[in-house]
């Protein structure tokens, strides 16, 4: 059973993750960044973004990114690219 404080914290953390995931960004990079894969975390302007989709056309890598909430960062930061 959860205490009221624990339940409130779980809800708060979930809301933060959902709000962060609604923020999206597209990034275009040169081909030398082809090692970036969906699921990777990128740090841009001191914010963490998760790569949702990658496309490679005409030697340009296009990344579709979604903001990562601070609670989720500690779980998915296995590969980090800093620009």
């Amino acid at each position: 059973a959860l205490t009221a404080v624990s339940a409130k914290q779980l809800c708060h953390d979930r809301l933060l993750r959902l709000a962060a995931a609604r923020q999206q960004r597209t990034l275009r990079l040169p081909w030398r960044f082809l090692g970036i894969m969906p699921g990777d975390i990128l740090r841009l302007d001191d914010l963490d973004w998760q790569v949702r989709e990658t496309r490679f056309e005409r030697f340009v890598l296009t990344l579709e990114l979604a903001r990562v909430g601070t609670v989720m960062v500690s779980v998915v930061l296995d590969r980090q690219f800093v620009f």
Side-chain angles (χ1 to χ4, degrees):
L2 287 175
T3 65
V5 173
S6 296
K8 183 178 178 180
Q9 186 63 46
L10 279 172
C11 290
H12 181 263
D13 293 346
R14 175 84 172 134
L15 288 173
L16 283 177
R17 284 193 303 269
L18 289 172
R22 282 193 291 269
Q23 298 176 20
Q24 298 182 7
R25 184 175 188 172
T26 300
L27 185 64
R28 289 173 183 78
L29 298 171
W31 65 271
R32 70 176 181 266
F33 290 100
L34 274 175
I36 298 175
M37 304 297 290
D40 287 345
I41 303 296
L42 307 179
R43 172 147 298 175
L44 305 168
D45 302 324
D46 292 330
L47 298 174
D48 293 318
W49 298 84
Q50 184 174 31
V51 179
R52 300 290 184 177
E53 181 182 336
T54 61
R55 288 186 309 280
F56 184 63
E57 301 173 279
R58 298 181 182 163
F59 293 95
V60 175
L61 177 65
T62 302
L63 306 175
E64 298 297 332
L65 309 172
R67 265 284 277 125
V68 177
T70 56
V71 175
M72 197 174 166
V73 171
S74 61
V75 177
V76 291
L77 271 182
D78 58 339
R79 290 177 53 185
Q80 183 179 31
F81 296 88
V82 179
F83 296 94

